[in-house]
Amino acid sequence: MTVFVLGSINLDAVARVDDLPRPGETVAGTSLELFLGGKGANQAVAAARMGAATRLMGAVGGDDSGKSLKASLAGYGVQVADVMELSGVPTGQAHVWVANNAENMIVVTAGANALVTPQQVSSTPLEGQRVLLCQLETPAIAIETLFRTGAAKGALRVLNAAPALPQGAALFPLTDILILNQTELATYAKLDREPVRLEDVSVAARKLMSRPDQTIIVTLGSAGVAAVRRDEAFLVEGKKVKAVDTVGAGDCFCGSLAAALASSMDLRDAVELANGAAALSVQKAGAAPSMPSRREVEAFLEG
């Protein structure tokens, strides 16, 4: 069971505050911590923690942060031979504010993540990869190269189209499984409001399908997860937990789903497992450090 992730690697600076600041307002932080982050890194850690042999392709700067983040990834069991270190370029950073109610605001500076190239992708052997997992924090042209190459290798192509970017929609026809949250679905489907009911989510999701064999998965926060195919849709209800930090919950879902699919798990069972993993992740601080192990998720779901 192998998962190949192409994605971003960031140093997350997480400041906790009582309430998120309004425009022009200065608030006092109650703590500041530095974590491994970036959607690619988070999802790779989640997949590895769920038991999948996981490779991550990306780029960090030649600075101390880059070396430290690669070491952290390796410590989680992620294979990092495909992560470039670029001298003279800063490692990507995310500045995260987390309020007492677990809501957050994030500003991301791409740094080395913006310099992943199609050439880096095309020179990488992909034989034996079961699932290819990408997000939109690295250049779309590199993702396109990976998906076109992966199609010839028989890999399942999974795109977490986040953040919602115009160039993301151009990748949808190359995608087998598309993962969005409600906000991203509304943006791509050009809706006035976020859909809530499964029926409305299904209608909006099907607008984005370009092939009859595609699956679109929409995460609905505490309400759970909707999975939509051309001829069916189902909802996996959310687990009731006390959220400490929701940063990385979506990444946890994506990486866990990829690991489950790489092990040939049925879609509904894979969504159930990933939904449970995400519910566990919000009960810990940080993104990558909050990713649960498969054993923890299975025990949580059985309980």
Side-chain angles (χ1 to χ4, degrees), residues 186-273:
T187 299
Y188 286 117
K190 298 180 170 56
L191 305 178
D192 294 332
R193 62 179 65 86
E194 297 177 8
V196 177
R197 297 185 306 144
L198 178 60
E199 181 182 352
D200 298 329
V201 169
S202 302
V203 170
R206 290 186 178 118
K207 289 181 180 179
L208 305 182
M209 290 182 179
S210 50
R211 302 196 318 270
D213 60 342
Q214 286 179 307
T215 300
I216 297 183
I217 294 175
V218 184
T219 57
L220 306 171
S222 59
V225 183
V228 183
R229 289 168 161 162
R230 181 64 69 186
D231 55 356
E232 70 162 334
F234 62 83
L235 177 70
V236 173
E237 293 188 0
K239 301 290 182 181
K240 289 182 170 57
V241 296
K242 179 172 175 54
V244 172
D245 183 354
T246 59
V247 174
D251 294 333
C252 180
F253 176 86
C254 293
S256 300
L257 183 76
L261 294 171
S263 66
S264 301
M265 188 177 286
D266 166 83
L267 179 68
R268 186 184 289 265
D269 291 340
V271 172
E272 290 264 13
L273 191 73

